Amino acid sequence: MAPLIHSLVWLGFLSAANAITAWQKSNYTFPVPESPANAFSADSFSTKADAIAALKTALGNVTIAGSGDYYYGQTIARVWTNQRKTYPDYIVYPETPEHVSILMQFYSKANSFWGDGFAIMGGGHFDTGGAQSPSVIMDLQRISNTEIVTNPPKNSSEYAILKIGGGAEAGDVYDALDGTGWAFLGPRAASIGVGGFLLGGGIAFQTNEYGTGVDNVVALEMVLLSGEIVMVTPYNEYSDLFWACTGAGWLGFGVVTHFYIRSNPDPGMVTVGTIAWSEDQADQVFEKTAAFWEGNNDVSAFPALLYYLKDPSDISALVPLRERKFTFQLNALYFGGDQKKFNETYGQFFEGASSIVFEEYSLKTLQQYLLTNYPYGYNRLFYGKSHTNSTKEFYQNTFAIYKETVNGMIARGEDPGHTLWVDEYVFPGWNGAGPTDDSVTAWPHSTSAHITLTSGEWTNNSLTEYMYDRDENYMMAYLRDFQNGLGEPDIYDYPNYIAQYSKTSEIWGEQNYKKLLEIKAKYDPECLFNRGRVIATDACVAKGLANTFADS
Ligand SMILES: Cc1cc2nc3c(=O)[nH]c(=O)nc-3n(C[C@H](O)[C@H](O)[C@H](O)COP(=O)(O)OP(=O)(O)OC[C@H]3O[C@@H](n4cnc5c(N)ncnc54)[C@H](O)[C@@H]3O)c2cc1C
Ligand SMILES: *[C@@H]1O[C@H](CO)[C@@H](O)[C@H](O)[C@H]1NC(C)=O
Ligand SMILES: *[C@@H]1O[C@H](CO)[C@@H](O)[C@H](O)[C@H]1NC(C)=O
Ligand SMILES: *[C@@H]1O[C@H](CO)[C@@H](O)[C@H](O)[C@H]1NC(C)=O
Ligand SMILES: *[C@@H]1O[C@H](CO)[C@@H](O)[C@H](O)[C@H]1NC(C)=O
Ligand SMILES: *[C@@H]1O[C@H](CO)[C@@H](O)[C@H](O)[C@H]1NC(C)=O
Ligand SMILES: *[C@@H]1O[C@H](CO)[C@@H](O)[C@H](O)[C@H]1NC(C)=O
């Protein structure tokens, strides 16, 4: 594709939406703690053992865990994808930005002992390997506070600004906000890290009304490799870093110790309908889904269509394999707790259902709704591509590919467990809360699109290659062809759902990728952040560590 040319052609068309992000229409700054000065002298250490001893002294009572320690095991167990589990030398648990600063000063001086590079772990859910390393990991789980830093009266048109620890999990934030009247555009399941989620985009429960998580971030407290603790905003000397963090922030620019993000008013109760059909209902389910995805104009509605192998009349259980059937499931959410509106919006989907389960949630409890689909302890994939338009054929074709994959898993002796495919409905133009154009954020997303996801689950390692092949060469290949055939404005892969085979030009676009290289070279000139996706700066290429190149 040719993103630049298409963007220019479509600019006039897109501006009709008048979209603007929260950070584009505000200008906040916040104080940061003073950086601890020169924690290490040049001759602090000459061996790995000396180095760790010096780090222990400098960090005081901060936990540094090794193999066999409880915390060490707990961190490894939080790595969601089994095939990513890595056992490092040490895991460090900083509690403050100052601790992270000391750690960065240490790593800048002692990195020659750890050629594999340090990793930063948030919630442990991403499958790029960015949070794993055989050397040293900083697990940010103890920097997980949530604070309301500006709290305008509810009758004003302003929303509160939240300060959230870079190592918080979604559940920490929902719990802290419960009863405050404010809500967080956060991950949709309790154990997902706020860190990776916000740095790679952030599709939240209420994205249809308020936009993505990252478009609501207004400032970042970051620790640079030098150990400097800095305030990063779209308007100060670190505006380039802010830009990099709008959809590519986990490519290794620094450690985010706190996010400042605009909240939205708590919607109160959420009505959830889980509607399931058996395969013989395919025609009407696909027709209605396509019509809804094309025509909805209610921002309070957030549905997703799932393909599944389970019993359509007993959807909460994984019954024995031979009793399972291919099942369609609509996860129908409606914000505001109005059952009548729920029925008006989704009543058309009740026809032919094998089961309909109605539930009421608050935002605090909604974080549990999706969790059962995503247990720990398996090999997983969690990858997808987006599409602007939906048709009946789109669902027929994606279902056929999904079905063949699942049948192939069974033929290889595997229980497909929670292997599912989802199509998440996204409101046109992010309801006016997206970026003005594709260059103002690292992830180009001025055009909104529905987001698909294949979530595979398998136990036998010999299936991994088969699962990747099915996803890359069948599902993703189809999704790419479908979207390219529409002649709609360019869209890009949702960064938090990328696979190792996702293409640079389809995630960030060529222009934004070039800019990311410059910013990475400036803030990480020696390529010391080199886990997971590593973009091809001169230093990363020279070290032989780059794995993400310009591809067109
Ligand atoms: C079950 C499940 C549910 C999900 N639900 C959603 C959802 O509802 N919406 C959505 O948009 N996405 C969702 N995702 C995708 C998710 O947002 C990404 O996987 C995200 O990267 C996870 O972040 P993490 O902190 O948990 O992961 P980690 O693997 O810990 O971190 C991801 C990357 O970010 C880096 N990182 C993390 N924190 C920091 C920090 N503070 N400073 C610097 N770098 C940091 C890590 O080094 C790593 O490279 C889900 C994923 C799973 C597996
Ligand atoms: C943002 O605010 C700062 C003062 O805090 C000011 O110096 C700067 O000019 C402002 N920038 C914009 C774009 O409004
Ligand atoms: C570390 O020490 C400080 C005081 O020096 C104390 O406030 C803090 O709770 C201690 N942390 C742990 C994990 O023991
Ligand atoms: C908002 O409510 C406060 C009291 O909480 C009141 O003093 C103020 O006048 C109200 N403002 C508006 C614009 O209604
Ligand atoms: C919504 O529809 C369901 C299923 O038909 C019905 O049981 C329920 O009473 C309806 N609720 C309202 C408020 O209309
Ligand atoms: C995994 O599958 C292969 C066949 O593809 C089989 O030979 C092997 O025994 C299986 N391993 C386990 C642990 O079941
Ligand atoms: C895609 O959907 C948009 C509305 O969201 C519509 O204007 C456009 O015509 C559709 N494109 C195709 C190729 O169907």
Side-chain angles (χ1 to χ4, degrees):
M1 56 176 160
L4 187 63
I5 290 165
H6 278 146
S7 303
L8 290 173
V9 169
W10 283 99
L11 213 55
F13 174 77
L14 290 172
S15 66
N18 276 328
I20 186 162
T21 64
W23 61 262
Q24 284 183 296
K25 55 186 178 194
S26 62
N27 180 3
Y28 288 94
T29 189
F30 301 94
V32 294
E34 218 167 289
S35 316
N38 301 321
F40 302 93
S41 60
D43 54 358
S44 295
F45 27 75
S46 53
T47 65
K48 212 179 201 180
D50 285 355
I52 281 294
L55 180 64
K56 282 189 169 148
T57 305
L59 284 175
N61 60 3
V62 166
T63 306
I64 300 179
S67 179
D69 293 341
Y70 172 83
Y71 286 116
Y72 180 95
Q74 191 246 30
T75 292
I76 305 295
R78 285 168 66 236
V79 175
W80 187 66
T81 41
N82 247 13
Q83 71 268 37
R84 287 288 168 211
K85 284 198 172 153
T86 307
Y87 295 81
D89 284 353
Y90 298 100
I91 306 180
V92 187
Y93 299 82
E95 295 169 26
T96 63
E98 290 92 330
H99 292 158
V100 176
S101 166
I102 290 169
L103 202 47
M104 286 295 93
Q105 295 178 44
F106 171 75
Y107 182 41
S108 293
K109 292 231 166 73
N111 61 78
S112 60
F113 297 119
W114 284 280
D116 286 315
F118 278 24
I120 307 161
M121 179 147 156
H125 276 75
F126 204 21
D127 189 36
T128 54
Q132 285 78 45
S133 172
S135 63
V136 178
I137 291 178
M138 69 201 88
D139 181 333
L140 299 177
Q141 64 170 292
R142 293 185 186 172
I143 307 181
S144 61
N145 52 307
T146 297
E147 220 182 292
I148 299 176
V149 287
T150 72
N151 198 0
K154 295 286 150 45
N155 59 2
S156 87
S157 58
E158 297 287 299
Y159 300 151
I161 301 295
L162 311 173
K163 177 184 183 184
I164 300 176
E169 290 184 356
D172 299 330
V173 188
Y174 296 128
D175 289 353
L177 291 180
D178 189 43
T180 64
W182 297 115
F184 166 53
L185 287 166
R188 285 166 288 166
S191 58
I192 317 305
V194 167
F197 171 89
L198 286 178
L199 292 172
I203 308 299
F205 280 120
Q206 286 191 280
T207 281
N208 285 327
E209 184 162 4
Y210 301 104
T212 64
V214 72
D215 289 337
N216 285 274
V217 169
V218 296
L220 303 161
E221 177 190 80
M222 279 181 86
V223 181
L224 307 180
L225 274 162
S226 61
E228 262 184 292
I229 306 172
V230 299
M231 174 52 39
V232 172
T233 87
Y235 306 110
N236 70 9
E237 63 185 300
Y238 299 107
S239 60
D240 52 355
L241 263 187
F242 187 90
W243 182 87
C245 290
T246 55
W250 30 243
L251 289 175
F253 301 98
V255 184
V256 177
T257 41
H258 288 99
F259 292 91
Y260 289 88
I261 180 169
R262 195 182 70 157
S263 66
N264 58 276
D266 188 329
M269 296 312 285
V270 190
T271 308
V272 176
T274 309
I275 309 169
W277 302 267
S278 54
E279 195 180 347
D280 60 1
Q281 299 295 310
D283 277 355
Q284 64 109 358
V285 170
F286 292 166
E287 273 161 26
K288 284 174 183 164
T289 302
F292 190 101
W293 264 230
E294 289 283 299
N296 175 60
N297 54 19
D298 184 346
V299 293
S300 297
F302 182 27
L305 181 72
L306 283 73
Y307 305 152
Y308 229 140
L309 186 71
K310 57 181 174 180
D311 179 349
S313 58
D314 188 9
I315 48 166
S316 51
L318 271 184
V319 296
L321 184 58
R322 63 177 204 177
E323 288 164 37
R324 281 182 239 163
K325 302 184 189 76
F326 285 102
T327 299
F328 309 122
Q329 179 176 314
L330 192 77
N331 290 344
L333 274 65
Y334 198 87
F335 292 90
D338 185 340
Q339 269 241 5
K340 198 163 153 281
K341 291 276 283 189
F342 178 94
N343 282 3
E344 280 166 28
T345 308
Y346 295 117
Q348 54 174 320
F349 287 104
F350 298 170
E351 189 192 336
S354 299
S355 80
I356 309 179
V357 178
F358 292 101
E359 291 167 302
E360 292 279 326
Y361 288 91
S362 66
L363 276 190
K364 178 177 155 77
T365 57
L366 192 57
Q367 54 178 292
Q368 301 300 327
Y369 173 56
L370 297 175
L371 263 186
T372 50
N373 284 338
Y374 305 104
Y376 288 85
Y378 294 91
N379 293 318
R380 305 284 323 214
L381 60 79
F382 200 85
Y383 308 144
K385 286 181 80 69
S386 303
H387 60 114
T388 53
N389 293 68
S390 284
T391 62
K392 183 179 173 185
E393 294 69 36
F394 174 82
Y395 295 111
Q396 287 171 328
N397 290 325
T398 47
F399 179 54
I401 296 166
Y402 168 81
K403 214 171 146 177
E404 204 176 308
T405 302
V406 168
N407 286 337
M409 294 173 81
I410 295 170
R412 287 163 177 76
E414 185 71 39
D415 182 332
H418 302 85
T419 296
L420 56 85
W421 185 87
V422 200
D423 190 26
E424 305 174 342
Y425 169 80
V426 171
F427 199 80
W430 307 108
N431 191 33
T436 44
D437 68 66
D438 278 346
S439 65
V440 300
T441 52
W443 168 41
H445 63 284
S446 65
T447 302
S448 73
H450 311 299
I451 299 179
T452 76
L453 175 72
T454 300
S455 180
E457 180 182 302
W458 68 100
T459 55
N460 187 328
N461 295 338
S462 73
L463 242 75
T464 303
E465 213 175 303
Y466 168 76
M467 296 300 289
Y468 289 168
D469 174 58
R470 291 292 307 168
D471 185 56
E472 179 181 12
N473 299 314
Y474 296 85
M475 186 60 86
M476 285 203 180
Y478 173 73
L479 294 168
R480 179 180 297 113
D481 288 349
F482 174 83
Q483 184 61 31
N484 287 346
L486 292 172
E488 290 293 311
D490 283 325
I491 57 168
Y492 297 82
D493 295 345
Y494 173 47
N496 275 332
Y497 289 4
I498 60 169
Q500 54 274 28
Y501 37 77
S502 295
K503 298 176 184 177
T504 304
S505 61
E506 295 180 2
I507 312 167
W508 297 291
E510 290 168 53
Q511 299 304 315
N512 287 4
Y513 174 72
K514 277 188 200 145
K515 203 167 148 186
L516 286 168
L517 288 179
E518 287 166 20
I519 299 168
K520 170 98 176 157
K522 177 173 162 191
Y523 290 96
D524 182 11
E526 294 177 72
C527 194
L528 296 184
F529 287 123
N530 52 38
R531 304 299 307 171
R533 281 277 188 158
V534 182
I535 60 175
T537 61
D538 290 347
C540 295
V541 171
K543 284 184 162 179
L545 297 170
N547 57 22
T548 299
F549 299 89
D551 56 25
S552 54

